[in-house]
Amino acid sequence: MSVVIDRISLFFKKGFKKKFVIFITIPLASSVIFLADFFLLPEIHKTDVITKIGIVKIPQNVGGTSVRTTRNSGYRYTTATNLKFATPTTRIKSPEIQVTITPLFKTVKAVSTTKKKINLASGFNGLNKVLMLLCNIGMVSSILYVLLTKEITENARLNLLFLNMCTLAVWIYALILY
């Protein structure tokens, strides 16, 4: 493990500011593209049919004992056009739904039936929103620190490098799960 850390540290040792800014702007630019897709580009509204329903189960202990049970946390859906989304505790009974999606990444923004609008637990909701917000704030503050500081100490360089590598790993994991 120390060999990998040493190689990463040596790679960023010379020309740290330039390499670091390039290293961080790639995920930052891709998240800006995602946010532009989600908030700025026009939405696509279409009617779709639910083809698959799965139950999201969460394991839990029973009354402080070692006995494990599961409880239903929500429902996972797949549509005929291969759109995927999840709802917390609300099961959609109607097979036909109206879906609002983003144009680039096909993120499901809203789902409604003929009777009501359904709350979503997937997409840019809940944990994904918090993770993206925290990761972007950390990346922007790291870039600002690197650009505004005249001389970066060895300890600060390593802290910035490994903090952002850990943040980037969490960010990539959230995108893969998403």
Side-chain angles (χ1 to χ4, degrees):
M1 183 71 170
S2 66
V3 174
V4 174
I5 292 172
D6 289 340
R7 285 187 181 180
I8 292 171
S9 177
L10 286 175
F11 174 75
F12 282 98
K13 195 160 194 153
K14 288 193 177 189
F16 173 72
K17 286 186 178 187
K18 182 179 177 183
K19 289 179 182 177
F20 184 77
V21 169
I22 290 170
F23 176 73
I24 294 299
T25 51
I26 293 169
L28 190 61
S30 59
S31 63
V32 166
I33 291 169
F34 176 81
L35 292 172
D37 176 48
F38 196 84
F39 290 111
L40 299 177
L41 296 179
E43 303 169 336
I44 299 170
H45 302 280
K46 64 183 197 177
T47 303
D48 211 341
V49 177
I50 295 174
T51 57
K52 184 178 177 186
I53 300 174
I55 299 173
V56 178
K57 295 186 178 209
I58 297 177
Q60 64 183 17
N61 288 344
V62 176
T65 64
S66 62
V67 176
R68 305 277 291 174
T69 62
T70 59
R71 71 175 175 89
N72 294 346
S73 173
Y75 298 92
R76 190 174 298 128
Y77 300 93
T78 305
T79 66
T81 57
N82 204 25
L83 296 173
K84 297 177 181 173
F85 62 94
T87 60
T89 66
T90 305
R91 182 176 173 130
I92 301 173
K93 293 181 172 72
S94 171
E96 190 172 287
I97 56 172
Q98 288 75 36
V99 184
T100 304
I101 58 173
T102 61
L104 290 178
F105 295 109
K106 305 295 184 221
T107 305
V108 177
K109 292 175 75 171
V111 175
S112 60
T113 63
T114 55
K115 296 180 182 177
K116 64 179 179 175
K117 185 176 179 180
I118 308 295
N119 292 329
L120 296 178
S122 60
F124 193 61
N125 296 306
L127 183 62
N128 282 338
K129 186 186 294 185
V130 172
L131 281 175
M132 183 169 272
L133 180 67
L134 289 176
C135 291
N136 287 343
I137 288 171
M139 288 187 281
V140 167
S141 62
S142 295
I143 288 174
L144 289 175
Y145 178 79
V146 166
L147 293 177
L148 296 177
T149 305
K150 290 184 180 184
E151 189 169 327
I152 298 172
T153 64
E154 179 74 13
N155 189 27
R157 183 178 65 80
L158 290 174
N159 285 340
L160 282 169
L161 186 61
F162 292 116
L163 171 72
N164 282 289
M165 286 177 60
C166 181
T167 303
L168 186 62
V170 169
W171 185 82
I172 291 170
Y173 181 70
L175 286 179
I176 289 170
L177 283 181
Y178 161 70

